[in-house]
Amino acid sequence: MNNMGFFSQIKAGLQKTRNSLMSRMEGLLARNAFDDTFYEELEEILIGADVGVETTLLLVEKLRAKVQEERVRDGDRVMGLLKELILEILGRETAPLQLDGAKPAVILVLGVNGVGKTTTIGKLAGQFREENKKVLLAAGDTFRAAAGEQLQIWAERSGSELVKHQQGADPAAVIFDAVSAAVSRGYDVVLCDTAGRLHNKANLMAELKKIHKVVEKALPGAPHEVLLVLDATTGQNALAQAQVFHEATPLTGLVLTKLDGTAKGGIVIAIAQKLQVPVKYVGVGEGIDDLLPFNPAEYVEGLFAAQA
Amino acid sequence: MLFANLSAKLQDTFKRLRGKGKLTEKDVDAALREVRLALLEADVNYKVVKDFIAAVKERSLGSDVMASLTPGQTVVKIVHEELTRLMGEQATKVTKAKTPPTTVMLVGLQGSGKTTSAAKLAKLLKKGGGSPLLVAADIYRPAAVKQLQVLGEQIDVPVFQLGGQDPVQIARAALEFARKHNHDYLLVDTAGRLHVDAELMEELARMQDALQPQEILLVVDAMTGQDAVTVAKAFQEKLALSGVILTKLDGDTRGGAALSVRAVTGCPVKFAGLGEKTDAFEPFYPDRMASRILGMGDVLTLIEKAQAAIDEDKAREMEKKLRRQQFTLEDFLEQMQQLRKMGPLSQLVEMLPGVGGLGKKLKGLQVDEKEFKKVEAIILSMTPKERLNPSIINSSRRRRIAAGSGTRIQDVNNLLKQFEMMQKMFKQFSKLDKGKMRGQGRFPFM
């Protein structure tokens, strides 16, 4: 099936062990019989992509109604309808960063542990540097061992500057310093790293609120973007993550990382439906160029491409 | 959450059928539909769910469900038993080598928690009298070696590293080093990698050849979704996996990935990671995980923690006081301190049935550690007389207490109001039957 778009842009060096069999979807469509078994299979594909039970049932129910209403008999047309339904939720357009010409533009990057926040920041820094922007990174993860060092390496790779305190320092203070420094020294962009935190730890979520407040204080109108990084491998818990983070610090976008594996990250559909927060980027590798704008149409194609 | 309480749902399903006299296969199907949805919501892989439901159905039809007066509970029991069986026996021992060192490789996807887990395991082995050596073989991620070094320092375990050299070379050299320096455990932290990355998977296989490890532990994020099956399968095809470490279980995920991985690999989950601190590492209890996946809470762990921390006699005494409504601020303080011995309160609350995963509802219950310290300070600033009889605390006393505890008068007022409410609550409790009282009396905060 369709393998165009960012799923194919994944680094060429990465040899894939993707299932070479004809995709399940093709097999399904070839039957041209839209009975209960068909819809059950469809459900399984969606659930298998981590779309979640609730959203899957909703989608399939709507699809059934449409197929009946429009008396569709053709498999491709049915798939087209389903993709439409998903795009209605995800939005059709790419969602670029809304920095409103702010100088400096402040971007806060959040997420649970191990989703790829620091790597995402490194890649974003690389993109801004390519546009010849002056970039400052704030090492707001003062908790995890060597997190600052990790960001430092990304600063060097991308040619950005770094504001870093020692381990255990107050992250809000680090970020305040960085934003203030960016204001006075004329930086274009400040990318703020934060420590990974599970959303059910109230004290850590309160810390986020404080960080948000401090950024606002250092620069009225900031942060201009608050990005939640989600691991595509994560299942239904990602919805809870998005909900709780959104409550603590209103999110402006999602970054879906690790899409170069076999996970589809379908939970973003459920999140988009519940919170109306758009996916802005996808991560497809460990290199500095492996961050791409999220293209909903391509994503939906990928969702139904060969299941490994 | 939609399927937070499976038991209640099943109870409902069967209640509707109660009038029918005899349950049919169709009725059981309806109940199992709920089970299926609950498992899918918990991220158990859909193929695993299918097999599982088939097994449960067979047992349900053949057994006492039909005849049972409480078919809902019977189905839950069967589901729980089957889940526990599928999760396997508890297996938390590290298989030892005949001649040391015992070598353990930690493998997994990026961000699953390998480095942290390696440090935690090292600490655990050290505590047991061992002399572990950590090996930093993640040469790809920036500062990964440094991370392990910092952690090694924290737990006082040496870390072997050769900078950015080939991981297979590092493995060989580390083994040599461990033999020479009499380390009995060699814990190898490998780089995170995608299971579809043929080159890096091959590298792991070569490390396995070089090390001949006794254990290869797959580190799996408890929040992993449907893909857990694909990942586990791919790692198992390349390596002789011997067990699993399930990380980030201190989150509110139901953790269905545990079941998927177990079903696919047949390897036992040996350890669970429960936090970022190096001692937040526990043996894995399959039966409790089964309850958690079903959304039934981790009552057993809670009870065990309570038993470990709370003095039996004191608890009994407290219970008596509660029943006689002689519960004073002094007792309140004492209970609070005992409760805190059990570990971070947020973790305890999550173990309660129906609470885990209920992000929103949890708000009212959210127990803030700082709040507890404040309450402690306020009570400690009261005279013994005041603690016994809070009604004498007038406004000038309130002022004094606030100043003494470094809080505001509103905080003192709040505490007194809460305490009054609690006393009222206990009055209602004591009207309940005594059997129920016994369970609840010990944790008035919950």
Side-chain angles (χ1 to χ4, degrees):
Chain A
M1 276 207 54
N2 198 326
N3 234 344
M4 304 285 284
F6 64 76
F7 283 99
S8 62
Q9 287 186 41
I10 294 159
K11 283 182 88 176
L14 212 68
Q15 280 177 296
K16 294 241 155 188
T17 57
R18 258 194 211 285
N19 202 331
S20 59
L21 292 172
M22 185 172 66
S23 85
R24 245 178 112 182
M25 209 54 239
E26 281 177 7
L28 253 187
L29 292 177
R31 292 208 327 242
N32 258 333
F34 310 124
D35 49 8
D36 282 353
T37 327
F38 171 80
Y39 288 110
E40 266 166 39
E41 289 261 326
L42 209 55
E43 270 177 34
E44 282 188 354
I45 290 172
L46 290 169
I47 285 171
D50 287 318
V51 173
V53 173
E54 206 184 331
T55 310
T56 295
L57 293 181
L58 189 95
L59 282 169
V60 171
E61 196 180 306
K62 276 190 181 171
L63 181 67
R64 264 178 195 261
K66 272 214 155 148
V67 167
Q68 221 157 44
E69 190 187 295
E70 300 182 15
R71 296 172 185 275
V72 183
R73 298 247 177 273
D74 165 53
D76 283 341
R77 177 87 185 98
V78 175
M79 275 321 289
L81 284 176
L82 178 58
K83 286 172 188 168
E84 276 300 303
L85 285 172
I86 297 174
L87 283 177
E88 261 170 39
I89 296 172
L90 281 179
R92 275 157 231 279
E93 309 294 324
T94 52
L97 294 178
Q98 303 276 324
L99 302 178
D100 305 326
K103 187 174 171 164
V106 181
I107 302 173
L108 213 54
V109 179
L110 323 171
V112 301
N113 315 67
V115 289
K117 287 175 294 301
T118 309
T119 309
T120 298
I121 286 183
K123 293 171 181 175
L124 276 173
Q127 295 193 354
F128 284 118
R129 289 295 299 139
E130 252 169 46
E131 299 166 22
N132 275 322
K133 297 252 168 75
K134 230 177 130 186
V135 180
L136 188 63
L137 308 185
D141 183 356
T142 57
F143 182 81
R144 206 203 61 196
E149 282 83 351
Q150 189 183 348
L151 195 65
Q152 178 142 29
I153 294 170
W154 278 108
E156 283 158 19
R157 276 188 197 171
S158 61
S160 314
E161 299 297 317
L162 176 74
V163 171
K164 190 180 122 186
H165 293 190
Q166 72 254 78
Q167 205 188 336
D170 177 10
V174 179
I175 289 173
F176 183 85
D177 278 0
V179 176
S180 308
V183 172
S184 62
R185 286 193 257 146
Y187 279 85
D188 298 305
V189 185
V190 191
L191 293 164
C192 308
D193 196 10
T194 59
R197 64 198 73 223
L198 290 175
H199 53 286
N200 59 340
K201 312 251 155 126
N203 55 336
L204 294 180
M205 295 314 283
E207 183 184 272
L208 265 194
K209 283 187 198 168
K210 181 181 168 194
I211 290 174
H212 193 274
K213 228 188 274 168
V214 157
V215 170
E216 232 176 343
K217 209 169 170 190
L219 179 64
H224 306 89
E225 286 277 356
V226 181
L227 302 176
L228 179 71
V229 182
L230 297 172
D231 182 336
T233 326
T234 305
Q236 299 310 298
N237 197 249
L239 179 58
Q241 289 171 23
Q243 277 169 331
V244 179
F245 272 96
H246 194 46
E247 257 171 51
T249 43
L251 305 172
T252 60
L254 306 175
V255 179
L256 191 58
T257 61
K258 308 184 197 175
L259 256 186
D260 45 337
T262 44
K264 307 273 188 182
I267 192 66
V268 293
I269 300 170
I271 294 173
Q273 193 202 357
K274 288 244 157 77
L275 304 178
Q276 280 87 42
V277 178
V279 187
K280 298 206 163 175
Y281 287 101
V282 293
V284 293
E286 291 183 314
I288 197 160
D289 301 321
D290 295 328
L291 187 74
L292 307 168
F294 176 75
N295 179 326
E298 284 179 3
Y299 174 77
V300 173
E301 289 299 329
L303 210 54
F304 297 104
Q307 303 250 326
Chain B
M1 197 160 282
L2 213 47
F3 307 103
N5 198 338
L6 181 66
S7 313
K9 268 218 126 130
L10 287 178
Q11 231 73 272
D12 265 8
T13 312
F14 283 111
K15 214 179 270 164
R16 268 181 268 129
L17 307 170
R18 190 59 62 73
K20 287 175 60 179
K22 213 175 158 219
L23 290 177
T24 64
E25 185 176 341
K26 233 181 163 183
D27 301 335
V28 172
D29 278 341
L32 289 184
R33 196 186 122 81
E34 299 293 344
V35 177
R36 175 173 170 264
L37 293 178
L39 293 176
L40 288 173
E41 271 297 300
D43 289 321
V44 182
N45 183 272
Y46 69 90
K47 287 179 199 147
V48 177
V49 172
K50 233 183 202 172
D51 294 345
F52 177 77
I53 292 291
V56 172
K57 185 175 173 183
E58 198 176 322
R59 245 192 92 182
S60 299
L61 286 177
S63 78
D64 349 305
V65 179
M66 312 293 211
S68 164
L69 285 172
T70 52
Q73 278 166 17
T74 313
V75 170
V76 169
K77 197 168 147 257
I78 292 178
V79 168
H80 190 258
E81 277 171 15
E82 283 293 309
L83 262 188
T84 309
R85 201 177 54 82
L86 203 72
M87 288 296 330
E89 296 292 303
Q90 199 188 339
T92 57
K93 288 246 159 62
V94 172
T95 310
K96 280 198 181 170
K98 280 190 195 116
T99 50
T102 295
T103 305
V104 182
M105 271 172 81
L106 289 97
V107 301
L109 299 179
Q110 290 97 338
S112 55
K114 287 172 296 303
T115 307
T116 309
S117 296
K120 286 175 176 178
L121 183 57
K123 188 169 186 183
L124 190 78
L125 292 170
K126 196 183 171 198
K127 230 175 164 182
S131 155
L133 176 69
L134 283 162
V135 183
D138 180 358
I139 58 166
Y140 302 101
R141 196 187 50 154
V145 174
K146 177 80 185 173
Q147 185 187 352
L148 194 64
Q149 282 175 325
V150 173
L151 289 171
E153 228 164 83
Q154 277 173 20
I155 57 172
D156 197 22
V157 168
V159 175
F160 183 90
Q161 60 105 8
L162 290 174
Q165 275 198 40
D166 175 46
V168 182
Q169 296 300 329
I170 296 175
R172 283 209 188 94
L175 192 56
E176 199 60 35
F177 183 91
R179 283 195 187 124
K180 211 185 265 170
H181 293 82
N182 292 323
H183 288 289
D184 49 4
Y185 290 99
L186 189 65
L187 307 179
V188 185
D189 177 31
T190 66
R193 65 203 72 215
L194 281 172
H195 52 293
V196 291
D197 189 331
E199 204 177 300
L200 284 181
M201 291 302 283
E202 204 47 55
E203 177 194 282
L204 276 186
R206 278 186 284 125
M207 287 178 81
Q208 171 181 261
D209 290 345
L211 286 166
Q212 300 290 325
Q214 279 65 46
E215 295 265 4
I216 300 181
L217 301 176
L218 179 67
V219 182
V220 178
D221 184 332
M223 297 179 278
T224 310
Q226 297 286 319
D227 207 40
V229 164
T230 321
V231 172
K233 229 190 254 166
F235 273 94
Q236 206 194 20
E237 272 164 23
K238 272 282 168 217
L239 304 165
L241 293 183
S242 62
V244 173
I245 297 178
L246 199 63
T247 62
K248 305 180 205 175
L249 261 180
D250 50 330
D252 59 4
T253 181
R254 297 259 287 277
L259 197 64
S260 305
V261 171
R262 163 79 197 180
V264 168
T265 64
C267 292
V269 181
K270 294 200 163 184
F271 299 101
L274 287 156
E276 294 183 79
K277 294 192 182 129
T278 46
D279 52 4
F281 201 56
E282 286 184 7
F284 180 79
Y285 298 99
D287 49 337
R288 295 175 194 178
M289 195 65 212
S291 303
R292 179 166 171 157
I293 290 172
L294 286 173
M296 289 159 73
D298 198 349
V299 187
L300 284 172
T301 308
L302 181 62
I303 292 170
E304 197 168 85
K305 284 206 173 182
Q307 278 169 347
I310 290 181
D311 188 319
E312 259 319 291
D313 292 338
K314 272 191 182 162
R316 216 160 289 139
E317 195 184 313
M318 191 73 69
E319 203 179 306
K320 261 188 221 152
K321 276 186 173 169
L322 281 175
R323 213 170 297 163
R324 279 194 245 113
Q325 292 159 42
Q326 288 172 339
F327 190 68
T328 66
L329 276 164
E330 184 100 37
D331 301 324
F332 180 62
L333 179 66
E334 198 175 288
Q335 272 226 323
M336 211 170 63
Q337 284 162 343
Q338 288 212 342
L339 200 66
R340 291 195 56 182
K341 271 196 249 165
M342 289 161 60
L345 284 159
S346 51
Q347 271 185 29
L348 293 176
V349 172
E350 275 154 36
M351 286 175 204
L352 291 170
V355 175
L358 288 179
K360 283 220 167 124
K361 282 194 192 155
L362 198 83
K363 274 215 158 148
L365 253 171
Q366 196 60 264
V367 196
D368 190 343
E369 300 274 333
K370 261 193 204 148
E371 203 56 39
F372 265 73
K373 275 195 192 139
K374 208 195 254 176
V375 170
E376 197 173 11
I378 292 174
I379 298 180
L380 285 174
S381 300
M382 294 176 183
T383 66
K385 220 176 181 180
E386 286 165 346
R387 290 182 213 174
L388 280 175
N389 187 7
S391 62
I392 62 167
I393 305 181
N394 58 22
S395 62
S396 101
R397 283 177 191 258
R398 279 171 208 228
R399 249 192 316 259
R400 193 206 75 240
I401 293 167
S405 56
T407 57
R408 296 167 308 165
I409 293 179
Q410 293 102 289
D411 295 326
V412 180
N413 286 341
N414 273 343
L415 173 67
L416 290 172
K417 213 181 276 166
Q418 274 174 10
F419 182 70
E420 200 181 314
M421 267 169 58
M422 255 174 63
Q423 278 186 318
K424 269 188 203 151
M425 203 168 78
F426 292 148
K427 253 180 219 168
Q428 283 173 344
F429 272 156
S430 43
K431 280 179 201 151
L432 294 171
D433 65 81
K434 285 184 182 177
K436 255 187 187 167
M437 185 65 205
R438 194 152 297 152
Q440 284 170 331
R442 288 186 196 166
F443 310 112
F445 314 104
M446 298 183 171

